Amino acid sequence: MGNRRNKPAIIASFVTFAATPAMLDPTLLRQNSAELAARLRETRGFEFDAAALEALESERKQIQIRTQELQNLRNTRSKAIGQAKAKGEDVSALMAEVAGFGEELKTSEHRLEDIRAQIEAIALVIPNIPHESVPLGQDEAHNAEQHRWGTPRAFDFAVKDHVELGARNGWLDGDTAAKLSGARFTVLRGQLARLHRALAQFMLDLHTGDHGYQETNVPLLVNADSMRGTGQLPKFEDDLFATTVGEGEHAHKRYLIPTSEVPLTNIVRDEIVEADALPLRMTAHSMCFRAEAGSHGRDTRGMIRQHQFEKVELVSITKPEESYEEHERMTRCAEVVLEKLGLPYRRVLLCTGDMGFAATKTFDLEVWLPSQDTYREISSCSNCESFQARRMQARWRNPATGKPELTHTLNGSGVAVGRALIAVMENYQEADGSITVPEALRPYMGGAERIE
């Protein structure tokens, strides 16, 4: 089942002996690696060397046993040395033996560190296991549509895309952005810039006022621990923008966030949350930065796929048994945004091969874009179960046992601001190039009914 509980004793034993911050249940990695490899191959198309992992684990156990034997022998001989000295006996042979134990112990400790590093390198790139309700498939062609809302508008004039609509009034300027920063950046001006801001404010007010999320303002630069905590590192480092702070041996990286999911979720890293504080629901409007490595030639026109964009993020921290109910609730909160804006959309359940690295189940919301005559992703809502929480050691105290257990973490777009702007521009365009302002946004636009 998807919402499995995790036993702290198992976690502790794995940390003690393997010291690997794995994201999956360590019992799967240690005891069922071949079965896990087969399952990930079938569902994710992901390959990892189970035999190598098993060999490393077997060697680790042997060295651990020998290390304990050496420690016991050293303690016994040390005690014998003390007794022999008290009797005035020669202890040189005993001392030489203890010195030998010390050298072997040192060698064993170095080898254990090396094994742990190798296990960690394998574990860190293993994706989450899909929930049993997720359809099997290799790519988006195998996703399962859940439902649709709204009817796409029938236009009696030639539809323009958002780039044409923005360029006519100088509202959307990719050329100036390219001069300033390069490709995949945009300058917004005038009423279109205000409409963009209005969308973000509207979403925040909706999620905090109606949906019960706590507004949170987070850093845009985070450390490597935060990126590892939510799964961006080490696998997706090429997709991140980074800067180096300090010099020489004191230098360290800071990463521009690809989404505020990273800082929001990491708020509970190394924390134990009391049961009555859950579910913890947070929302943030932030800039997001993505290098888009490997996406060359895809959606390069306009604002569909940018290096810098804005998003209103939703994050929930829950008890394990409540996470799938919360997943449905979160997705519904994102749907309400589109419904209040009057934007036709559909909900899609992603198949195993199309889900994100940390997700066990994901719903995408796709908004209708008239210029493309199709639905395009505008929100992605995922349940990660304990995958991120195990890495972060984000726990809650179970009142039934009084002991800490791993939480479940969820994240979703509530929604992407730039793509919402595109959808509003295209769905509310008029023949003269003006754009009708959706009623929900008019209070944020000074009452304006149209921008032109």
Side-chain angles (χ1 to χ4, degrees), residues 342-373:
L343 297 172
Y345 70 88
R346 66 174 188 163
R347 183 199 287 199
V348 176
L349 173 61
L350 299 193
C351 71
T352 54
D354 200 31
M355 289 196 308
F357 177 76
T360 188
K361 185 174 183 177
T362 299
F363 290 119
D364 269 9
L365 301 183
E366 299 177 350
V367 70
W368 178 257
L369 294 187
S371 69
Q372 298 185 20
D373 196 36

Side-chain angles (χ1 to χ4, degrees), residues 88-312:
E89 298 175 353
D90 181 14
V91 296
S92 57
L94 286 171
M95 292 182 70
E97 188 177 13
V98 169
F101 294 154
E103 288 300 315
E104 188 177 351
L105 270 172
K106 188 176 181 180
T107 301
S108 295
E109 288 169 357
H110 286 313
R111 180 54 186 158
L112 277 175
E113 288 180 6
D114 181 55
I115 291 173
R116 288 164 180 164
Q118 292 183 58
I119 292 175
E120 179 176 338
I122 295 172
L124 287 181
V125 296
I126 298 175
N128 202 355
I129 300 172
H131 187 262
E132 61 186 11
S133 64
V134 174
L136 189 65
Q138 297 180 350
D139 52 38
E140 61 185 17
H142 300 94
N143 294 341
E145 182 176 314
Q146 304 293 287
H147 61 249
R148 297 189 181 195
W149 182 92
T151 302
R153 175 183 168 191
F155 292 87
D156 57 5
F157 57 87
V159 170
K160 300 177 179 63
D161 70 8
H162 73 283
V163 179
E164 294 175 283
L165 290 165
R168 290 185 66 185
N169 299 287
W171 289 336
L172 192 157
D173 188 346
D175 292 337
T176 298
K179 179 181 71 173
L180 299 174
S181 304
R184 298 199 178 188
F185 290 91
T186 300
V187 170
L188 297 179
R189 295 190 182 94
Q191 288 291 82
L192 194 64
R194 183 173 184 178
L195 186 62
H196 184 267
R197 172 164 56 92
L199 280 161
Q201 291 177 309
F202 158 71
M203 294 176 203
L204 278 178
D205 286 349
L206 179 64
H207 293 315
T208 57
D210 292 3
H211 298 157
Y213 289 85
Q214 181 183 56
E215 184 172 351
T216 312
N217 193 293
V218 293
L220 300 182
L221 282 170
V222 297
N223 55 33
D225 287 342
S226 294
M227 285 294 188
R228 278 192 290 267
T230 44
Q232 280 75 23
L233 289 179
K235 187 174 178 63
F236 302 105
E237 184 154 13
D238 289 345
D239 288 319
L240 304 173
F241 287 110
T243 186
T244 301
V245 179
E247 297 180 355
E249 62 181 15
H250 300 294
H252 53 275
K253 276 189 175 181
R254 290 286 185 268
Y255 294 87
L256 286 164
I257 62 171
T259 162
S260 55
E261 168 205 343
V262 177
L264 286 174
T265 309
N266 272 276
I267 286 174
V268 295
R269 173 159 49 94
D270 297 323
E271 301 288 340
I272 299 175
V273 184
E274 296 302 324
D276 58 6
L278 298 176
L280 180 61
R281 299 181 178 120
M282 298 171 282
T283 184
H285 166 225
S286 76
M287 293 284 189
C288 305
F289 304 89
R290 296 184 186 176
E292 295 290 353
S295 64
H296 302 292
R298 296 177 58 198
D299 296 317
T300 56
R301 178 175 168 82
M303 295 177 64
I304 292 288
R305 194 178 295 274
Q306 298 268 282
H307 289 311
Q308 173 186 308
F309 59 98
E310 295 179 38
K311 186 150 64 86
V312 173

Side-chain angles (χ1 to χ4, degrees), residues 214 264-282 315-320 322 389 392-409:
Q214 181 183 56
L264 286 174
T265 309
N266 272 276
I267 286 174
V268 295
R269 173 159 49 94
D270 297 323
E271 301 288 340
I272 299 175
V273 184
E274 296 302 324
D276 58 6
L278 298 176
L280 180 61
R281 299 181 178 120
M282 298 171 282
V315 163
S316 293
I317 312 298
T318 74
K319 301 171 186 176
E322 296 176 354
M392 298 186 301
Q393 280 301 289
R395 295 167 292 169
W396 70 291
R397 193 178 307 280
N398 188 336
T401 63
K403 296 180 180 179
E405 299 177 9
L406 294 175
T407 66
H408 280 191
T409 65

